[in-house]
């Protein structure tokens, strides 16, 4: 099929996924808001886990199942679309969870209770206004975000052999098409993304000056049937996106780890590529998080935050578009000598991670309370050493711990990136995701499952091992800064 046809198919699929994702996200966010118990925390973990599983692992696990259904293309399309939907819904849930409504429950109840046709609250204009401010405008930014995630999905579409403009352009570029010609292929998809982003920016400018309501005072009680349905969806998503992929790769990988360790050449190459992936992932994550903290600190002026949102635009256009544009810039006469260096790769990863870092930064700011942060800082400034240490520990618990896991999550995304790594990574510092992506197209085998499982476990274990080390360093730096302020 032509690129225009494939782009149209991807557009239609992404629109359907985004609409369904908004409906599911709104419903499940109300379920989380129904309480602050351990059950709600467990539900939140179960909801977010499918989004954190790398698309490369999900696509690899489901590729074998899709091959058995090769004579049923509609069923394969349904499987792929369902996987993408289950992957993007957690993002929508987080957005709705931290958003505030514009129409209170009381105001909507008063509108519904007025049945007289002569009252101004029952005319069509009023009904449309309530629908606009209660459902459409709050859901539009979330829907656009889910649309971009579905529209730019690459790894699962490639491994399950589904039509996607990302796969078409990537295969053309990998097949030897010059970068200058590949850029022309991006015109249609990039125009769609820019129109969607411009639309949501216009929406945000309309609603930013509207009064916000207290989210906790507008908690919607869920019925028993609604609760059962929500738990059914959550458990199904967890089983499809988490249990099935890791049961196929993890079990086979554990069995074949011995064979992988016996092959010293293959093990050394795997570990070397994994280390390079960690180096690029950690450095780019720290860079992206530093920029997000600079532009979106709590007391930053508005014009600086607007500039930060402008810097989000390259990353919002997708990893493939960003990497091809960066490659074209570094292949010019003046910049070609920097192309096969880590600089181009690092810049592209930072720009790709920056919108995600901003998203995490805004979530952390929304979840933190100014009073608690202020009290922990006052306690850390105490001249009593015990109180000062307690203040530093509380400040780590309130602020530092969330920042650490935010950087870990950004590094994890960069570690599993395929498109930017394959186009911009230097030949002598290739990452593990590129090699795994290439091998996964030849089918599933136990050694490949062991390599995949090992490449997944290494960054997870390192993040857990470094957690107490970073906490100690945080406490030490906090104590020294406190001593300098009190002296």
């Amino acid at each position: 099929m032509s690129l225009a046809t494939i782009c149209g198919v991807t557009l239609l699929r992404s629109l359907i996924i985004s609409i369904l994702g908004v409906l599911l996200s709104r419903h499940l966010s109300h379920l989380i808001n129904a309480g602050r118990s351990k059950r709600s925390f467990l539900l939140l973990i179960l909801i977010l886990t499918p989004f954190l599983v790398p698309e490369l692992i999900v696509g690899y696990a489901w590729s074998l199942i899709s091959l058995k259904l090769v004579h049923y293309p509609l069923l394969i399309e349904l499987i792929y679309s369902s996987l993408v939907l289950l992957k993007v819904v957690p993002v929508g849930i987080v957005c709705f969870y931290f958003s505030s409504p514009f129409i209170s429950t009381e105001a909507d109840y008063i509108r519904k209770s007025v049945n007289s046709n002569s009252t101004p609250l029952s005319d069509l204009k009023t009904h449309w206004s309530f629908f606009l401010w209660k459902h459409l405008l709050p859901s539009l930014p979330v829907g656009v975000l889910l649309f971009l995630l579905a529209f730019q999905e690459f790894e699962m579409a490639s491994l399950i052999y589904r039509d996607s403009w990302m796969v078409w352009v990537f295969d053309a570029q990998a097949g030897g098409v010059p970068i200058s010609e590949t850029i022309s292929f991006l015109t249609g998809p990039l125009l769609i993304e820019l129109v969607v982003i411009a639309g949501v920016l216009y929406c945000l400018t309309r609603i930013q000056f509207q009064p916000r309501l207290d989210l906790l005072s507008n908690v919607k009680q869920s019925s028993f049937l609604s609760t059962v349905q929500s738990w059914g969806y959550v458990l199904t998503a967890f089983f499809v996106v988490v249990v099935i992929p890791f049961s196929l790769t993890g079990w086979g990988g554990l069995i074949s780890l011995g064979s992988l360790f016996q092959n010293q050449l293959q093990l050394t190459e795997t570990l070397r590529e994994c280390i390079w992936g960690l180096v690029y992932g950690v450095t780019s994550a720290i860079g992206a998080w530093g920029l997000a903290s600079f532009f979106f600190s709590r007391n930053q002026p508005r014009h600086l935050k607007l500039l930060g949102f402008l810097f989000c635009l390259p990353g919002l256009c997708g990893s493939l578009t960003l990497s091809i544009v960066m490659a074209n810039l570094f292949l010019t006469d003046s910049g070609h000598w920097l192309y096969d260096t880590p600089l181009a790769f690092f810049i592209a990863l930072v720009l790709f991670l920056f919108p995600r870092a901003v998203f995490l930064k805004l979530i952390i700011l929304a979840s933190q309370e100014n009073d608690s942060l202020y009290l922990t800082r006052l306690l850390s400034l105490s001249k009593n050493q015990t109180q000062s240490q307690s203040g530093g520990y509380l400040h780590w618990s309130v602020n530092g711990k969330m920042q650490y896991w935010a950087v870990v999550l950004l590094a994890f995304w960069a570690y599993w990136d395929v498109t930017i790594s394959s186009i911009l990574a230097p030949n002598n510092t290739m990452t593990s995701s590129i090699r795994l992506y290439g091998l996964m197209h030849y089918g599933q085998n136990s050694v490949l499952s062991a390599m995949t499982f090992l490449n997944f476990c290494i960054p997870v274990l390192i993040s857990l091992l470094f957690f107490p080390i970073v906490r100690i360093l945080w406490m030490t730096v906090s104590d020294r800064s406190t001593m300098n302020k009190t002296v």
Side-chain angles (χ1 to χ4, degrees):
M1 288 192 292
S2 64
L3 177 60
T5 304
I6 293 180
C7 190
V9 172
T10 311
L11 175 62
L12 179 60
R13 179 199 297 135
S14 303
L15 285 174
I16 297 175
I17 290 174
S18 60
I19 294 173
L20 295 176
V22 167
L23 297 177
L24 289 171
S25 302
R26 180 185 288 273
H27 176 73
L28 292 171
S29 65
H30 288 315
L31 179 64
I32 298 175
N33 288 335
R36 301 286 183 178
S37 61
K38 292 182 179 180
R39 189 194 69 173
S40 298
F41 179 75
L42 175 62
L43 179 61
L44 185 61
I45 296 298
L46 290 176
I47 288 174
L48 294 179
T49 303
F51 177 68
L52 302 180
V53 179
E55 288 85 353
L56 201 62
I57 295 180
V58 178
Y60 171 64
W62 280 91
S63 61
L64 180 61
I65 300 176
S66 63
L67 288 176
K68 295 181 179 179
L69 302 173
V70 67
H71 299 294
Y72 305 95
L74 292 179
L75 185 57
I76 298 177
E77 178 65 30
L78 180 62
I79 292 175
Y80 169 71
S81 300
S82 300
L83 290 174
V84 177
L85 176 64
L86 297 177
K87 290 282 294 179
V88 302
V89 162
V91 181
I93 295 174
V94 172
C95 294
F96 281 118
Y97 181 71
F98 287 100
S99 63
S100 301
F102 299 104
I103 303 295
S104 66
T105 307
E106 294 80 4
D108 195 38
Y109 175 79
I110 293 174
R111 177 188 65 86
K112 293 177 180 179
S113 63
V114 177
N115 297 321
S116 175
N117 294 328
S118 61
T119 58
L121 288 178
S122 60
D123 59 5
L124 183 61
K125 182 179 180 181
T126 303
H127 283 295
W128 166 250
S129 179
F130 268 85
F131 175 78
L132 180 67
W133 289 101
K134 183 182 179 181
H135 297 289
L136 190 59
L137 287 180
S139 301
L140 186 59
V142 181
V144 168
L145 183 58
L146 301 188
F147 171 83
L148 290 176
L149 290 174
F151 191 70
Q152 298 168 2
E153 201 288 317
F154 169 74
E155 289 87 352
M156 291 190 299
S158 178
L159 294 174
I160 303 179
Y161 298 100
R162 289 293 86 201
D163 295 325
S164 172
W165 72 270
M166 290 270 291
V167 178
W168 196 98
V169 176
F170 182 85
D171 290 344
Q173 196 279 329
V177 177
I179 290 291
S180 58
E181 185 177 349
T182 308
I183 286 185
S184 63
F185 298 152
L186 301 175
T187 304
L190 184 60
L191 181 61
I192 294 174
E193 293 172 341
L194 292 179
V195 169
V196 170
I197 294 173
V200 75
L201 288 178
Y202 173 76
C203 172
L204 292 175
T205 56
R206 285 200 60 186
I207 66 177
Q208 65 175 338
F209 298 109
Q210 296 297 322
R212 297 300 181 97
L213 303 175
D214 185 10
L215 184 63
L216 298 180
S217 64
N218 289 275
V219 173
K220 182 179 179 180
Q221 298 296 330
S222 300
S223 63
F224 176 76
L225 180 60
S226 177
T227 303
V228 171
Q229 291 174 346
S230 300
W231 273 98
Y233 166 82
V234 170
L235 294 177
T236 301
F238 188 84
F239 179 79
V240 171
V241 183
V242 181
V243 176
I244 291 180
F246 280 100
S247 62
L248 294 177
T249 59
W251 180 250
L254 286 174
I255 296 177
S256 302
L257 277 179
S259 300
L260 180 62
F261 288 143
Q262 290 177 359
N263 191 335
Q264 295 297 323
L265 180 61
Q266 190 174 43
L267 180 62
T268 303
E269 189 70 17
T270 300
L271 293 177
R272 186 181 69 85
E273 294 170 348
C274 181
I275 292 174
W276 278 116
L278 288 173
V279 170
Y280 285 126
V282 172
T283 54
S284 60
I286 294 175
W289 184 253
L291 290 176
S293 301
F294 171 75
F295 284 109
F296 294 94
S297 295
R298 196 178 297 274
N299 297 322
Q300 288 289 25
R302 183 183 174 189
H303 69 274
L304 197 59
K305 293 182 179 179
L306 291 177
L307 183 61
F309 280 117
L310 183 62
F311 278 117
C312 289
L313 188 59
L316 290 175
C317 292
S319 58
L320 181 62
T321 302
L322 177 62
S323 58
I324 291 178
V325 172
M326 289 292 297
N328 187 65
L329 291 176
F330 279 89
L331 285 176
T332 57
D333 294 336
S334 57
H336 69 278
W337 58 282
L338 292 173
Y339 175 74
D340 199 27
T341 64
L343 180 62
F345 186 30
F346 174 77
I347 294 176
L349 283 178
V350 171
L351 292 176
F352 169 68
L353 293 177
F354 182 64
R356 300 175 180 232
V358 171
F359 183 76
L360 296 175
K361 181 67 177 180
L362 296 178
I363 289 176
I364 292 177
L365 291 177
S367 62
Q368 289 177 341
E369 296 181 1
N370 291 331
D371 295 340
S372 61
L373 285 175
Y374 181 70
L375 291 176
T376 56
R377 288 169 182 168
L378 283 181
L379 188 61
S380 62
L381 292 174
S382 175
K383 295 182 179 180
N384 186 289
Q385 185 177 4
T386 303
Q387 294 180 352
S388 176
Q389 291 178 353
S390 300
Y393 178 78
L394 290 175
H395 192 257
W396 161 260
S397 301
V398 173
N399 188 26
K401 181 168 60 176
M402 289 189 291
Q403 293 194 50
Y404 173 79
W405 289 117
V407 174
V408 167
L409 187 56
L410 293 172
F412 194 69
W413 282 327
Y415 175 84
W416 284 102
D417 174 77
V418 173
T419 53
I420 298 178
S421 303
S422 61
I423 295 176
L424 294 176
N427 293 326
N428 56 345
T429 60
M430 299 294 281
T431 60
S432 57
S433 60
I434 305 175
R435 186 183 182 193
L436 291 176
Y437 173 77
L439 293 175
M440 286 176 181
H441 282 84
Y442 294 99
Q444 295 184 0
N445 58 75
S446 57
V447 176
L448 180 56
S449 297
M451 293 171 57
T452 305
F453 184 71
L454 182 63
N455 279 279
F456 177 83
C457 290
I458 287 177
V460 173
L461 293 177
I462 289 179
S463 65
L464 294 176
L465 291 175
F466 269 82
F467 179 78
I469 299 176
V470 173
R471 183 180 61 183
I472 294 174
L473 292 176
W474 175 283
M475 301 286 293
T476 304
V477 173
S478 298
D479 292 340
R480 290 181 178 178
S481 61
T482 300
M483 292 179 60
N484 293 333
K485 291 181 181 179
T486 55
V487 171

